[in-house]
Short mmCIF file of all heavy atoms in Angstrom, two decimals:
data_model
loop_
_atom_site.label_atom_id
_atom_site.label_comp_id
_atom_site.label_asym_id
_atom_site.label_seq_id
_atom_site.Cartn_x
_atom_site.Cartn_y
_atom_site.Cartn_z
N PHE P 1 0.83 -1.21 0.01
CA PHE P 1 0.00 0.00 0.00
C PHE P 1 0.87 1.26 0.00
O PHE P 1 0.54 2.25 -0.65
CB PHE P 1 -0.93 0.00 1.22
CG PHE P 1 -2.00 -1.05 1.15
CD1 PHE P 1 -2.15 -1.98 2.17
CD2 PHE P 1 -2.89 -1.10 0.08
CE1 PHE P 1 -3.14 -2.95 2.12
CE2 PHE P 1 -3.89 -2.08 0.03
CZ PHE P 1 -4.01 -3.00 1.04
N TYR P 2 1.94 1.21 0.74
CA TYR P 2 2.83 2.37 0.85
C TYR P 2 3.44 2.72 -0.51
O TYR P 2 3.46 3.88 -0.93
CB TYR P 2 3.92 2.07 1.87
CG TYR P 2 5.02 3.11 1.96
CD1 TYR P 2 4.74 4.40 2.40
CD2 TYR P 2 6.32 2.80 1.60
CE1 TYR P 2 5.74 5.36 2.49
CE2 TYR P 2 7.33 3.74 1.68
CZ TYR P 2 7.03 5.03 2.13
OH TYR P 2 8.01 5.96 2.21
N LEU P 3 3.93 1.69 -1.21
CA LEU P 3 4.57 1.93 -2.51
C LEU P 3 3.56 2.29 -3.59
O LEU P 3 3.91 2.93 -4.60
CB LEU P 3 5.38 0.71 -2.92
CG LEU P 3 6.60 0.40 -2.05
CD1 LEU P 3 7.35 -0.80 -2.59
CD2 LEU P 3 7.52 1.61 -1.93
N LYS P 4 2.31 1.91 -3.37
CA LYS P 4 1.27 2.33 -4.31
C LYS P 4 1.09 3.85 -4.25
O LYS P 4 0.87 4.50 -5.28
CB LYS P 4 -0.05 1.65 -3.97
CG LYS P 4 -1.19 1.97 -4.92
CD LYS P 4 -2.46 1.25 -4.51
CE LYS P 4 -3.60 1.62 -5.45
NZ LYS P 4 -4.88 0.95 -5.06
N ASP P 5 1.21 4.40 -3.03
CA ASP P 5 1.09 5.85 -2.86
C ASP P 5 2.39 6.57 -3.18
O ASP P 5 2.38 7.72 -3.65
CB ASP P 5 0.69 6.18 -1.41
CG ASP P 5 -0.73 5.71 -1.09
OD1 ASP P 5 -1.50 5.47 -2.03
OD2 ASP P 5 -1.03 5.58 0.12
N ARG P 6 3.53 5.93 -2.94
CA ARG P 6 4.82 6.57 -3.14
C ARG P 6 5.76 5.67 -3.94
O ARG P 6 6.77 5.18 -3.41
CB ARG P 6 5.45 6.91 -1.79
CG ARG P 6 4.59 7.80 -0.90
CD ARG P 6 5.34 8.25 0.31
NE ARG P 6 4.52 9.05 1.20
CZ ARG P 6 4.97 9.73 2.24
NH1 ARG P 6 6.27 9.68 2.52
NH2 ARG P 6 4.17 10.42 3.01
N PRO P 7 5.43 5.43 -5.19
CA PRO P 7 6.25 4.49 -5.99
C PRO P 7 7.69 4.95 -6.17
O PRO P 7 8.59 4.13 -6.38
CB PRO P 7 5.50 4.45 -7.34
CG PRO P 7 4.71 5.72 -7.37
CD PRO P 7 4.34 6.00 -5.96
N GLU P 8 7.92 6.26 -6.08
CA GLU P 8 9.26 6.78 -6.27
C GLU P 8 10.22 6.34 -5.17
O GLU P 8 11.45 6.41 -5.34
CB GLU P 8 9.23 8.31 -6.35
CG GLU P 8 8.94 9.04 -5.05
CD GLU P 8 7.46 9.06 -4.67
OE1 GLU P 8 6.65 8.51 -5.45
OE2 GLU P 8 7.14 9.62 -3.61
N GLU P 9 9.71 5.88 -4.03
CA GLU P 9 10.56 5.46 -2.93
C GLU P 9 10.92 3.98 -2.98
O GLU P 9 11.67 3.50 -2.13
CB GLU P 9 9.87 5.78 -1.60
CG GLU P 9 9.69 7.29 -1.37
CD GLU P 9 9.38 7.61 0.08
OE1 GLU P 9 9.53 6.71 0.93
OE2 GLU P 9 8.98 8.75 0.36
N ALA P 10 10.39 3.26 -3.98
CA ALA P 10 10.64 1.83 -4.05
C ALA P 10 12.13 1.52 -4.15
O ALA P 10 12.63 0.57 -3.55
CB ALA P 10 9.90 1.23 -5.24
N ALA P 11 12.85 2.35 -4.90
CA ALA P 11 14.28 2.09 -5.11
C ALA P 11 15.09 2.27 -3.83
O ALA P 11 16.24 1.80 -3.75
CB ALA P 11 14.82 2.99 -6.20
N THR P 12 14.53 2.94 -2.83
CA THR P 12 15.29 3.21 -1.61
C THR P 12 15.05 2.17 -0.53
O THR P 12 15.63 2.27 0.55
CB THR P 12 14.90 4.58 -1.04
OG1 THR P 12 13.55 4.54 -0.55
CG2 THR P 12 15.00 5.67 -2.10
N ILE P 13 14.22 1.18 -0.82
CA ILE P 13 13.87 0.20 0.21
C ILE P 13 14.27 -1.20 -0.23
O ILE P 13 13.82 -1.69 -1.28
CB ILE P 13 12.36 0.24 0.53
CG1 ILE P 13 11.96 1.61 1.09
CG2 ILE P 13 12.00 -0.87 1.54
CD1 ILE P 13 10.47 1.74 1.38
N HIS P 14 15.10 -1.82 0.54
CA HIS P 14 15.43 -3.24 0.39
C HIS P 14 14.91 -3.96 1.63
O HIS P 14 15.06 -3.45 2.74
CB HIS P 14 16.92 -3.47 0.21
CG HIS P 14 17.42 -3.10 -1.14
ND1 HIS P 14 17.37 -1.81 -1.63
CD2 HIS P 14 17.97 -3.85 -2.13
CE1 HIS P 14 17.89 -1.77 -2.84
NE2 HIS P 14 18.27 -3.01 -3.17
N VAL P 15 14.36 -5.14 1.46
CA VAL P 15 13.75 -5.87 2.56
C VAL P 15 14.63 -7.07 2.93
O VAL P 15 14.92 -7.91 2.07
CB VAL P 15 12.34 -6.37 2.19
CG1 VAL P 15 11.70 -7.10 3.36
CG2 VAL P 15 11.46 -5.21 1.74
N PRO P 16 15.07 -7.16 4.19
CA PRO P 16 15.85 -8.34 4.61
C PRO P 16 14.95 -9.56 4.72
O PRO P 16 13.88 -9.52 5.33
CB PRO P 16 16.39 -7.92 5.99
CG PRO P 16 15.40 -6.91 6.50
CD PRO P 16 14.86 -6.19 5.30
N CYS P 17 15.39 -10.65 4.10
CA CYS P 17 14.57 -11.87 4.07
C CYS P 17 15.41 -13.09 4.42
O CYS P 17 16.59 -13.18 4.09
CB CYS P 17 13.97 -12.08 2.67
SG CYS P 17 12.90 -10.75 2.11
N ILE P 18 14.76 -14.02 5.08
CA ILE P 18 15.33 -15.33 5.30
C ILE P 18 14.53 -16.31 4.43
O ILE P 18 13.30 -16.33 4.49
CB ILE P 18 15.24 -15.76 6.78
CG1 ILE P 18 16.13 -14.86 7.64
CG2 ILE P 18 15.64 -17.21 6.95
CD1 ILE P 18 17.62 -15.00 7.40
N VAL P 19 15.23 -17.09 3.64
CA VAL P 19 14.57 -18.02 2.73
C VAL P 19 14.86 -19.45 3.15
O VAL P 19 16.03 -19.84 3.32
CB VAL P 19 15.05 -17.80 1.27
CG1 VAL P 19 14.51 -18.88 0.34
CG2 VAL P 19 14.62 -16.41 0.78
N PHE P 20 13.80 -20.22 3.32
CA PHE P 20 13.90 -21.66 3.57
C PHE P 20 13.44 -22.38 2.31
O PHE P 20 12.40 -22.04 1.73
CB PHE P 20 13.02 -22.07 4.77
CG PHE P 20 13.39 -21.37 6.05
CD1 PHE P 20 12.79 -20.19 6.42
CD2 PHE P 20 14.36 -21.91 6.88
CE1 PHE P 20 13.10 -19.56 7.60
CE2 PHE P 20 14.70 -21.29 8.08
CZ PHE P 20 14.08 -20.09 8.43
N ASP P 21 14.19 -23.40 1.91
CA ASP P 21 13.83 -24.08 0.67
C ASP P 21 13.91 -25.58 0.81
O ASP P 21 14.57 -26.11 1.72
CB ASP P 21 14.78 -23.65 -0.46
CG ASP P 21 16.14 -24.31 -0.34
OD1 ASP P 21 16.65 -24.39 0.79
OD2 ASP P 21 16.70 -24.75 -1.36
N GLY P 22 13.20 -26.27 -0.04
CA GLY P 22 13.35 -27.69 -0.24
C GLY P 22 13.19 -28.58 0.98
O GLY P 22 13.69 -29.70 1.01
N LYS P 23 12.51 -28.11 1.99
CA LYS P 23 12.31 -28.93 3.18
C LYS P 23 11.06 -29.79 3.01
O LYS P 23 10.36 -29.71 2.02
CB LYS P 23 12.20 -28.04 4.42
CG LYS P 23 13.39 -27.12 4.61
CD LYS P 23 14.67 -27.89 4.81
CE LYS P 23 15.83 -26.99 5.18
NZ LYS P 23 16.23 -26.08 4.13
N SER P 24 10.77 -30.62 4.02
CA SER P 24 9.56 -31.44 3.97
C SER P 24 8.34 -30.55 4.00
O SER P 24 8.39 -29.38 4.35
CB SER P 24 9.54 -32.40 5.17
OG SER P 24 9.36 -31.65 6.35
N GLU P 25 7.19 -31.11 3.66
CA GLU P 25 5.97 -30.31 3.63
C GLU P 25 5.55 -29.82 5.01
O GLU P 25 4.81 -28.85 5.12
CB GLU P 25 4.83 -31.12 3.00
CG GLU P 25 5.02 -31.35 1.51
CD GLU P 25 3.79 -31.87 0.84
OE1 GLU P 25 2.78 -32.09 1.56
OE2 GLU P 25 3.81 -32.06 -0.38
N ASP P 26 6.04 -30.48 6.04
CA ASP P 26 5.68 -30.04 7.40
C ASP P 26 6.51 -28.84 7.84
O ASP P 26 6.20 -28.20 8.84
CB ASP P 26 5.90 -31.18 8.40
CG ASP P 26 4.83 -32.24 8.29
OD1 ASP P 26 3.74 -31.91 7.77
OD2 ASP P 26 5.08 -33.37 8.72
N PHE P 27 7.58 -28.55 7.09
CA PHE P 27 8.52 -27.56 7.60
C PHE P 27 7.90 -26.17 7.70
O PHE P 27 8.10 -25.46 8.69
CB PHE P 27 9.74 -27.51 6.69
CG PHE P 27 10.80 -26.55 7.19
CD1 PHE P 27 11.61 -26.89 8.25
CD2 PHE P 27 10.95 -25.31 6.61
CE1 PHE P 27 12.57 -26.02 8.73
CE2 PHE P 27 11.92 -24.43 7.07
CZ PHE P 27 12.71 -24.79 8.14
N ALA P 28 7.15 -25.74 6.69
CA ALA P 28 6.56 -24.41 6.73
C ALA P 28 5.56 -24.31 7.87
O ALA P 28 5.48 -23.29 8.57
CB ALA P 28 5.87 -24.09 5.40
N THR P 29 4.79 -25.35 8.08
CA THR P 29 3.84 -25.36 9.19
C THR P 29 4.58 -25.27 10.51
O THR P 29 4.19 -24.54 11.42
CB THR P 29 3.00 -26.64 9.16
OG1 THR P 29 2.40 -26.77 7.87
CG2 THR P 29 1.92 -26.61 10.22
N GLU P 30 5.67 -26.03 10.60
CA GLU P 30 6.48 -26.03 11.82
C GLU P 30 7.00 -24.63 12.12
O GLU P 30 6.91 -24.13 13.25
CB GLU P 30 7.63 -27.00 11.63
CG GLU P 30 8.59 -27.09 12.78
CD GLU P 30 9.63 -28.17 12.55
OE1 GLU P 30 9.39 -29.07 11.73
OE2 GLU P 30 10.68 -28.09 13.20
N MET P 31 7.53 -23.97 11.11
CA MET P 31 8.04 -22.61 11.29
C MET P 31 6.92 -21.66 11.70
O MET P 31 7.10 -20.79 12.55
CB MET P 31 8.69 -22.12 10.00
CG MET P 31 10.02 -22.76 9.69
SD MET P 31 11.26 -22.47 10.99
CE MET P 31 11.31 -20.68 11.01
N PHE P 32 5.76 -21.82 11.10
CA PHE P 32 4.63 -20.95 11.42
C PHE P 32 4.24 -21.09 12.89
O PHE P 32 3.97 -20.11 13.58
CB PHE P 32 3.45 -21.30 10.52
CG PHE P 32 2.26 -20.38 10.68
CD1 PHE P 32 2.25 -19.13 10.13
CD2 PHE P 32 1.15 -20.80 11.41
CE1 PHE P 32 1.16 -18.29 10.27
CE2 PHE P 32 0.06 -19.98 11.56
CZ PHE P 32 0.07 -18.71 10.98
N VAL P 33 4.20 -22.33 13.38
CA VAL P 33 3.87 -22.58 14.77
C VAL P 33 4.90 -21.93 15.69
O VAL P 33 4.56 -21.26 16.67
CB VAL P 33 3.80 -24.10 15.06
CG1 VAL P 33 3.67 -24.36 16.55
CG2 VAL P 33 2.61 -24.71 14.32
N ILE P 34 6.19 -22.12 15.37
CA ILE P 34 7.24 -21.56 16.23
C ILE P 34 7.15 -20.05 16.29
O ILE P 34 7.18 -19.44 17.35
CB ILE P 34 8.63 -21.97 15.70
CG1 ILE P 34 8.81 -23.50 15.83
CG2 ILE P 34 9.74 -21.25 16.46
CD1 ILE P 34 10.04 -24.02 15.14
N ILE P 35 7.02 -19.41 15.13
CA ILE P 35 7.01 -17.95 15.06
C ILE P 35 5.80 -17.37 15.76
O ILE P 35 5.86 -16.32 16.41
CB ILE P 35 7.03 -17.49 13.59
CG1 ILE P 35 8.36 -17.89 12.92
CG2 ILE P 35 6.83 -15.99 13.47
CD1 ILE P 35 9.57 -17.30 13.59
N ASN P 36 4.67 -18.05 15.67
CA ASN P 36 3.43 -17.48 16.18
C ASN P 36 3.06 -17.95 17.58
O ASN P 36 1.97 -17.66 18.06
CB ASN P 36 2.28 -17.79 15.22
CG ASN P 36 2.41 -17.01 13.93
OD1 ASN P 36 2.15 -15.82 13.89
ND2 ASN P 36 2.84 -17.67 12.87
N SER P 37 3.96 -18.68 18.25
CA SER P 37 3.67 -19.16 19.61
C SER P 37 3.99 -18.10 20.64
O SER P 37 4.71 -18.33 21.59
CB SER P 37 4.49 -20.41 19.90
OG SER P 37 4.31 -21.39 18.94
N THR P 38 3.42 -16.91 20.50
CA THR P 38 3.65 -15.84 21.45
C THR P 38 2.32 -15.21 21.80
O THR P 38 1.37 -15.31 21.05
CB THR P 38 4.58 -14.76 20.86
OG1 THR P 38 3.87 -14.08 19.80
CG2 THR P 38 5.86 -15.34 20.33
N PRO P 39 2.22 -14.56 22.97
CA PRO P 39 0.95 -14.00 23.42
C PRO P 39 0.37 -12.97 22.47
O PRO P 39 -0.83 -12.73 22.48
CB PRO P 39 1.30 -13.35 24.77
CG PRO P 39 2.53 -14.06 25.22
CD PRO P 39 3.28 -14.39 23.98
N THR P 40 1.20 -12.32 21.62
CA THR P 40 0.67 -11.26 20.76
C THR P 40 0.20 -11.81 19.42
O THR P 40 -0.29 -11.06 18.60
CB THR P 40 1.76 -10.22 20.49
OG1 THR P 40 2.89 -10.84 19.88
CG2 THR P 40 2.18 -9.55 21.79
N ARG P 41 0.34 -13.09 19.20
CA ARG P 41 -0.05 -13.63 17.90
C ARG P 41 -1.15 -14.68 18.10
O ARG P 41 -2.08 -14.46 18.84
CB ARG P 41 1.18 -14.23 17.20
CG ARG P 41 2.29 -13.21 17.00
CD ARG P 41 1.85 -12.06 16.10
NE ARG P 41 1.68 -12.48 14.72
CZ ARG P 41 2.66 -12.58 13.83
NH1 ARG P 41 3.88 -12.28 14.16
NH2 ARG P 41 2.42 -12.96 12.59
N ILE P 42 -1.00 -15.82 17.50
CA ILE P 42 -2.06 -16.81 17.55
C ILE P 42 -2.27 -17.31 18.97
O ILE P 42 -1.32 -17.58 19.69
CB ILE P 42 -1.74 -17.97 16.60
CG1 ILE P 42 -1.90 -17.47 15.16
CG2 ILE P 42 -2.65 -19.15 16.83
CD1 ILE P 42 -1.60 -18.51 14.15
N ASN P 43 -3.52 -17.43 19.37
CA ASN P 43 -3.87 -17.92 20.68
C ASN P 43 -3.22 -19.28 20.91
O ASN P 43 -3.31 -20.18 20.09
CB ASN P 43 -5.40 -18.04 20.79
CG ASN P 43 -5.85 -18.36 22.18
OD1 ASN P 43 -5.47 -19.38 22.74
ND2 ASN P 43 -6.67 -17.51 22.73
N LYS P 44 -2.54 -19.41 22.05
CA LYS P 44 -1.81 -20.65 22.32
C LYS P 44 -2.72 -21.87 22.32
O LYS P 44 -2.31 -22.97 21.92
CB LYS P 44 -1.08 -20.53 23.66
CG LYS P 44 -0.17 -21.73 23.95
CD LYS P 44 0.56 -21.55 25.26
CE LYS P 44 1.43 -22.77 25.53
NZ LYS P 44 2.10 -22.67 26.83
N SER P 45 -3.95 -21.70 22.75
CA SER P 45 -4.88 -22.83 22.75
C SER P 45 -5.00 -23.44 21.36
O SER P 45 -5.10 -24.65 21.20
CB SER P 45 -6.25 -22.41 23.26
OG SER P 45 -6.24 -22.24 24.64
N HIS P 46 -5.02 -22.57 20.34
CA HIS P 46 -5.20 -23.09 19.00
C HIS P 46 -3.99 -23.88 18.55
O HIS P 46 -4.12 -24.79 17.73
CB HIS P 46 -5.44 -21.93 18.04
CG HIS P 46 -5.96 -22.37 16.70
ND1 HIS P 46 -7.18 -22.97 16.54
CD2 HIS P 46 -5.40 -22.33 15.46
CE1 HIS P 46 -7.36 -23.26 15.27
NE2 HIS P 46 -6.30 -22.89 14.59
N LEU P 47 -2.83 -23.58 19.09
CA LEU P 47 -1.62 -24.29 18.67
C LEU P 47 -1.63 -25.75 19.09
O LEU P 47 -0.95 -26.56 18.49
CB LEU P 47 -0.38 -23.59 19.27
CG LEU P 47 -0.11 -22.19 18.73
CD1 LEU P 47 1.06 -21.59 19.47
CD2 LEU P 47 0.16 -22.21 17.24
#
């Protein structure tokens, strides 16, 4: 949304990313559970 309003600033922003590849199908789910197991994110009961 930000770049839609200010496309001229796109060249000034690089986003740091961590890429996981080629793991088992459970891996992405596993990472999602780990990252979101905090009080500010997904309710722990649901985990």
Side-chain angles (χ1 to χ4, degrees):
F1 291 124
Y2 173 65
L3 293 182
K4 182 180 178 181
D5 292 341
R6 302 188 183 190
E8 71 281 359
E9 295 195 12
T12 69
I13 298 178
H14 285 64
V15 182
C17 299
I18 294 293
V19 172
F20 300 92
D21 76 318
K23 304 298 188 293
S24 68
E25 290 193 358
D26 286 338
F27 183 76
T29 306
E30 179 175 339
M31 287 300 302
F32 185 77
V33 171
I34 294 170
I35 294 300
N36 290 285
S37 306
T38 68
T40 59
R41 301 299 290 276
I42 289 179
N43 187 301
K44 186 178 178 183
S45 285
H46 194 65
L47 293 176

